[in-house]
Amino acid sequence: MDVFFAHSVKHQPESQWQRLHEHLAAVAQFAEERAKSACASDAEFVQAAFAAGLLHDLGKYRPEFQRYIAGKPPLGSKNHSQAGAAKAFAARHAPITFAIAGHHIGLPEFQELK
């Protein structure tokens, strides 16, 4: 698969769908701007917001999610938050992990996240 999508538009050709790399970059930029507005003096906070934006939909690169985007039955879970959360957790960035894991469903309990 050469092209990955973040969102599809029903009854529109794939050329109108949002590409995943563009979505991730846009969300990262938006999160960074919002973090700067909130606390420009905290460079670590601003960087964390950018990283969370880049990672938040990482699981959409999975073939199962791309099938779902295309309107086909997924062959597995269509959950897409866990991949980016796992990357952040492996890098020992707990706040980013919680933000990514909860970006659709709310912040999880620590034991649930494990």
Side-chain angles (χ1 to χ4, degrees):
M1 182 173 281
D2 295 332
V3 179
F4 297 88
F5 298 101
H7 303 283
S8 60
V9 180
K10 222 175 197 181
H11 308 295
Q12 294 288 333
E14 282 187 7
S15 62
Q16 300 296 310
W17 297 2
Q18 185 179 29
R19 292 178 184 244
L20 184 51
H21 72 279
E22 293 168 353
H23 172 68
L24 296 176
V27 171
Q29 183 67 40
F30 179 74
E32 180 182 55
E33 290 168 7
R34 299 288 296 202
K36 283 180 183 175
S37 293
C39 193
S41 63
D42 189 341
E44 189 174 343
F45 175 67
V46 172
Q47 290 173 343
F50 184 83
L54 281 180
L55 294 172
H56 84 283
D57 276 350
L58 190 63
K60 288 186 176 183
Y61 279 108
R62 292 179 24 249
E64 296 89 351
F65 195 86
Q66 291 300 303
R67 284 181 56 84
Y68 170 71
I69 286 284
K72 299 173 186 167
L75 298 176
S77 172
K78 58 186 180 188
N79 184 331
H80 61 276
S81 301
Q82 78 279 25
K87 286 284 188 191
F89 186 79
R92 299 179 185 251
H93 290 290
I96 297 172
T97 302
F98 279 96
I100 294 168
H103 84 272
H104 286 298
I105 59 171
L107 294 176
E109 295 290 332
F110 181 70
Q111 290 303 321
E112 180 184 337
L113 185 61
K114 281 180 136 182

